[in-house]
Amino acid sequence: MASQVATPTSLPTTATSSSTSLSSPALSPLSPVQLSPDDEELLAKLEEQNRLLETDSKSLRSMNGSRRNSGSSLVSSSSASSNLSHLEEDSWILWGRIVNEWEEVRKKKEKQLKDLVRKGIPHHFRAIVWQLLCNAQNMPIKDQYSELLKMTSPCEKLIRRDIARTYPEHEFFREKDSLGQEVLFNVMKAYSLVDREVGYCQGSAFIVGLLLMQMPEEEAFCVFVKLMQDYRLRELFKPSMAELGLCMYQFECMIQEQLPELYMHFQAQSFHTSMYASSWFLTIFLTSFPLPVATRIFDIFMCEGLEIVFRVGLAILQMNQTELIQLDMEGMLQHFQRIIPHQLESGPDKVIQAACQVKYNAKKMKKLEKEYTTIKTKEMEEQVEIKRLRTENRLLKQRIDTLEKKGAPRYSEESVLQLERELVQARLKEAESQCALKEMQDKILDMEKRNTSLPDDTNVARLQEELIGVKLREAEASTGLKELRQQVRGLEEHWQRHLARTTGRWKDTPKKNTMSELQDELMSVRLREAEAQAELRESRQRILELETQNQIHSNHLRRAELESRNLQERVQTLTVQNKDLHVQLQEIKRRQAEFECKSKEEVMAVRLREADNIAAMAELQQQISELEIEKEEGKVQVHLNHTDSSQYIRDLKDQISELKHEICCLKGKRGLANQPSFDGIHIVSHYVGDNESYQSSDEDGVKAPNLQVSQQRSSGRIKLLPNLGDTDSEEDEEEEEEEDGEALRLSVPPSGSHKSTSV
C-alpha cells in the first residue's frame, strides 16, 4: 500500500518538472528553468494547496509527519518526483491549464472536459478539480466550521458508533481514536448541525471518508455540503428515503427495457432491486467496488451526477447477465458481493467504457419520476384510507357496544331536512361564486388583449416624426405652387400688354412691325420658358411625392425589421424563460409532491393519534360505567342488607301494581295500532339514602295485588313474585312462582343515580 501512496510534499517538485518539460524539455537539470505565466500560476496554486495541507493541524499529513505514512492517498503514481512518463507529464500539463482557465473551459469546452473526467483525474489535481466541479470554493459556511465543532449534536452517539465501520481496512481509519476517525467525526457532526432534518445517515460517512482522503476537513466539509444540496444526495439520505425509492423504480424500469430476460429472472426469483442496488446509490459504489474503481466512478459523479450510477449499474448487469440468469436468489447475492468486486480488481476502464455505451434518456427518467410520484401518492392515499376505515370501524364497534347499553340518540326528521336545505344553499352559493369568478377572469383576459393591441410610445414617436416630415414637404410644395401662380400672373400681364400692342400693328410702319415680331418671339420664348418651369416644378413635386412615399415605405420596412428583430429576441428570451420555468415547474412539482406526501403522512399520524385517544377515552368511559354499575349494585346490596325488608316489599308491591296497570294500558294501545306487544318496560327508581325507600318514576299507576319478594343475595338480584301472602318462607315463594310463571327482576343500569327495573 505504501508504494501506491503519494505525499503532498511531492506536489511542488512534480509541478516544477512538468513546467520544465513544458518550457524547455531539452535542458539539463542544472540549467535555469524558464516558466510561462500559466505554469507559474499553476505552480502557485499547487504550492498553496500543499501549504494548506502542511499548516492544517488536523490534516492527513500531521498524523505521522507525512501523508505517505497515513495511507490517505487513494490512487497515485509509483513515483511522484521526476520519473513520470511522457503520458503522465502531458496529463499534468493539460489539467494544469484546465485548472488555470477553469471558467472558460467549463463554459466553452464542456464536452471535452466531460471526456477528460471520464478518462480519469490525476490524483494530485483531484482535490482542486472536485471543488471546482461542484463550485465548493469560497463557501461562506467554511468560516462557520470551527464554530460548529464547538457545538453539541444529538447524533454524536450514532456517529461514534459507526466511525469504526467506515473503511475498517484502510490505514487512515483503521486505528481507534486515530486522526482519520477524528476528522471524519468532526465533518459528520458539523453537517448534522447544519442540516438537522437529515442529521446523520450511515452511508454518508463513506463519501466523507473518500473526501478526507483527498483534502483537509474544512474543504471536505464544503464539498460534502455541495454534494448534499446539488447532487440529490440530501433526498437520498432523508429519513423517509423517498428519493432512493424513486431511483430503484427508475433503475428497475431501465432493466426491464434493456435487459428483459434478466428482469424476468429477477421477478421469478423475487429478487428485488433494493437487495443489491441500494448501496450503489447511497455510497456511489464505495462499499461495493474496490476503492480505485469507486474513486474513478466518483470523478464522473462529480461531473455528471447520479446518471453515472445508473449507467455503471446497468453495465455491471450486462456484463454478468449470463451468470446471473443461472443462479437463484442466494447465488445472485453471493455473486454481487464477491464475484463482481473481484472482476473489477483489474481496473475501472472496462466498466466505465461499457457504462458510457449504456442508453440513458433524461426525458424518460423525468417521465418515470412522475409515474412513481403518482403511484406513491395513490398508495399513500389508500393506506390512509385503510387506516381511517379501520379506526372508524373500531370506533363504531365501541359506539355500538356503548349504545346497546345506554340507548342510541335519535335525530328528528326536521333537523335532517334543515341540514339538507342548508347544504343545497351552500352549494348554490358556491356555484354562483365560481360563475362570478370565471366572468371576472374573462374580463381580465379581454382587457389584457386590448392593452397589447394599443401602440406603444416608440411607435407614436415615429409616427409623429413621419407626420412632421410630410408636413414639411407639403409646405415646400405649396411654396412652389405660389411661385408658379405668380409667374402665371406675370405672363398674363405680359400677354395683355402684347395684345394691346398688336392691335395697332397694321397702322405701324414696317420697322415697327419688325419690332413687334421680335417682341412676339420674345413673348413666345417667355411662354415656353414658363411652361418649362411649370413642367420642372411638376417634376420636382412628383419627385418630392415619390421621395415621401419612399421614405414612408422605408420607415415601414425599418419598423417591420425592428419589430421582427424584437420578436425574434423576445421568442429567444421566452424560449429560455420557458425552459427555465419548465425546469422550475418540474422542481416545484416534485417538491410539492414531497410536501403533499409529508402533509398527508402528518395528517394521518395526527388522525391516528386522535383516533387512538378517542378509543382510549371510550374504553376508559366504558370502564368507568362498569365500575359505577358495580358500585351501585354494591350499594343496593348493602342497602337491602341493612333496611327493613317488609317496608321495601310493600313499596315494591305498589310499584308492581302500577307497572301492571301501565302494561295493560300500553298493550291496549299497541293492539289498536297493530304493533307487536311489549316484552317488558323499563322503570327508573331514585335512590335517596340508606333510610329511604325506592319509589317508582310513574306516579299515576293503579295499585296491584299483593306481591311477595324473594331476595337472592348470592346473585345480587331481587326476584319479585306476584299474588303472594305476608309469609317469607321459601316454599310459598316457589309455589306462587310455579302458578304465575313470570317474575319481575331488579337490575342496576350504568347510571350512578338511577335504578332500572325491567319486566
Side-chain angles (χ1 to χ4, degrees), residues 212-226:
L212 289 171
M213 295 176 193
Q214 310 297 330
M215 60 190 75
E217 57 181 296
E218 291 88 350
E219 297 176 2
F221 171 69
C222 295
V223 174
F224 183 64
V225 171
K226 272 291 183 181

Side-chain angles (χ1 to χ4, degrees), residues 160-365:
R160 288 288 186 191
R161 183 191 65 187
D162 293 336
I163 286 295
R165 305 176 188 175
T166 306
Y167 299 112
E169 298 179 357
H170 198 281
E171 292 183 6
F172 188 52
F173 302 100
R174 183 185 303 168
E175 297 181 5
K176 185 178 181 181
D177 297 331
S178 63
L179 177 63
Q181 292 189 1
E182 186 64 25
V183 295
L184 179 59
F185 172 79
N186 290 341
V187 176
M188 298 309 301
K189 171 187 172 183
Y191 185 79
S192 67
L193 291 169
V194 171
D195 190 352
R196 296 184 180 271
E197 182 181 1
V198 175
Y200 166 72
C201 187
Q202 185 178 4
S204 59
F206 289 93
I207 298 175
V208 175
L210 178 63
L211 297 176
L212 289 171
M213 295 176 193
Q214 310 297 330
M215 60 190 75
E217 57 181 296
E218 291 88 350
E219 297 176 2
F221 171 69
C222 295
V223 174
F224 183 64
V225 171
K226 272 291 183 181
L227 291 178
M228 295 292 283
Q229 293 176 352
D230 301 340
Y231 286 74
R232 294 172 61 186
L233 292 185
R234 185 175 183 274
E235 307 299 326
L236 285 173
F237 289 125
K238 279 185 178 180
S240 62
M241 288 190 173
E243 192 73 13
L244 180 61
L246 171 60
C247 293
M248 294 296 100
Y249 179 76
Q250 292 173 332
F251 189 63
E252 187 173 349
C253 291
M254 291 180 67
I255 298 172
Q256 183 179 4
E257 180 183 358
Q258 303 185 29
L259 302 173
E261 296 180 1
L262 185 60
Y263 174 78
M264 296 301 296
H265 180 66
F266 284 168
Q267 294 295 319
Q269 295 292 329
S270 298
F271 193 60
H272 301 291
T273 310
S274 59
M275 298 174 68
Y276 63 91
S278 59
S279 62
W280 294 355
F281 288 89
L282 289 174
T283 63
I284 321 299
F285 300 104
L286 290 172
T287 58
S288 304
F289 292 175
L291 213 49
V293 179
T295 306
R296 282 285 303 279
I297 296 173
F298 201 85
D299 288 341
I300 306 174
F301 169 75
M302 295 292 294
C303 182
E304 302 179 19
L306 280 179
E307 176 182 341
I308 189 62
V309 182
F310 289 98
R311 290 180 177 272
V312 172
L314 206 61
I316 292 294
L317 295 179
Q318 288 176 350
M319 295 166 61
N320 295 270
Q321 181 178 4
T322 306
E323 294 83 359
L324 290 172
I325 290 178
Q326 300 174 359
L327 300 174
D328 57 359
M329 180 187 292
E330 186 176 356
M332 286 188 288
L333 285 174
Q334 294 294 329
H335 191 85
F336 278 106
Q337 293 174 0
R338 298 180 181 178
I339 305 299
I340 291 178
H342 181 70
Q343 292 176 354
L344 299 175
E345 289 180 355
S346 59
D349 294 332
K350 183 178 179 181
V351 67
I352 291 176
Q353 185 177 3
C356 294
Q357 302 298 325
V358 172
K359 295 180 180 179
Y360 182 88
N361 192 340
K363 293 183 178 179
K364 189 167 185 180
M365 299 299 279

